Amino acid sequence: MERPLQNRVSPFGEILARPERGEMFGNRGGRIHDPLTQRLSRRRWASKAWICCVLSFKGRARQVMGPGYTELFFLDEATALAAGHRPCFECRRADATAFAAAWARAQGLAAPPRAPAMDDVLHAQRRGARARARAEDLPAGVLFFDEADAVFLKREADVLPWGWDGYGRPRAAPGGEVGVLTPSAVADALAAGFRPRLHPSASG
């Protein structure tokens, strides 16, 4: 069996070799792999523009880990957001526009910010300490982890265990504080009405 490439992104932002492809893909601003060996370099980003894209756009075909940018794959958009990515303004313009509008509402801005302004904020938050909060206080769409580093998706009334191939059965939100994976600016945008694309298993 062919060994999977190291291009699957966890909610913690790690890039690992996993067989599951997921529902979304994106990049971190350029190439961070060697196209001859298809292995990652020591870098984990090429620029501050970390984006989340759809798998298919205008019939374009790409050679994964070829001469262009490094293609990364996510279970879904909630996972990409937790890892510090944002919607792409090319292949997902409507979603990206809605995200910027929610960002503006959350931050009290007079107009939606441009992508570079959001990227500056996200880059700083990706490199900072993770927030802690009560799970019940988090907006729907946020990913968090417990003391055992198990990851969960917050929904309106419950949480779902996260996995590489989908979400588990609903359960009540844990008591006490948890570690918040989703950057605070993104969590604020979720609280202001942005709704990420979720893996089909999240509808159960």
Side-chain angles (χ1 to χ4, degrees):
M1 181 177 180
E2 186 176 354
R3 182 178 180 180
L5 298 173
Q6 187 183 357
N7 59 6
R8 275 63 168 174
V9 182
S10 81
F12 291 92
E14 302 164 312
I15 307 175
L16 305 174
R18 298 283 309 187
E20 305 89 354
R21 185 179 71 170
E23 299 289 315
M24 310 287 293
F25 96 107
N27 66 76
R28 292 184 175 178
R31 189 170 70 225
I32 56 174
H33 71 278
D34 181 337
L36 295 178
T37 64
Q38 294 189 311
R39 294 183 181 274
L40 292 188
S41 68
R42 293 184 178 181
R43 296 192 302 166
R44 289 298 177 266
W45 65 84
S47 78
K48 297 178 183 178
W50 296 21
I51 60 175
C52 175
C53 304
V54 291
L55 292 174
S56 177
F57 179 63
K58 294 185 176 180
R60 295 179 185 176
R62 296 187 57 83
Q63 176 189 349
V64 176
M65 280 196 164
Y69 62 75
T70 303
E71 297 86 354
L72 303 173
F73 294 87
F74 314 91
L75 172 69
D76 60 5
E77 187 171 18
T79 305
L81 293 175
H85 293 245
R86 60 161 175 81
C88 173
F89 273 92
E90 182 181 8
C91 69
R92 302 182 56 212
R93 179 163 292 276
D95 291 337
T97 299
F99 179 78
W103 182 299
R105 289 194 299 272
Q107 304 302 326
L109 303 179
R114 292 184 177 275
M118 293 188 287
D119 292 339
D120 284 342
V121 173
L122 290 174
H123 194 66
Q125 294 184 358
R126 289 190 292 257
R127 303 176 74 181
R130 299 196 189 280
R132 296 193 63 81
R134 293 181 60 85
E136 62 186 21
D137 296 332
L138 296 173
V142 164
L143 292 187
F144 66 87
F145 63 98
D146 63 14
E147 65 278 359
D149 285 347
V151 177
F152 298 87
L153 168 71
K154 177 65 165 54
R155 298 201 299 184
E156 295 293 348
D158 57 21
V159 304
L160 300 178
W162 181 94
W164 287 101
D165 57 356
Y167 295 98
R169 296 177 62 84
R171 63 178 68 178
E177 287 192 339
V178 295
V180 184
L181 291 167
T182 307
S184 61
V186 178
D188 291 342
L190 292 170
F194 181 72
R195 292 294 176 261
R197 300 189 185 195
L198 300 178
H199 189 270
S201 59
S203 63

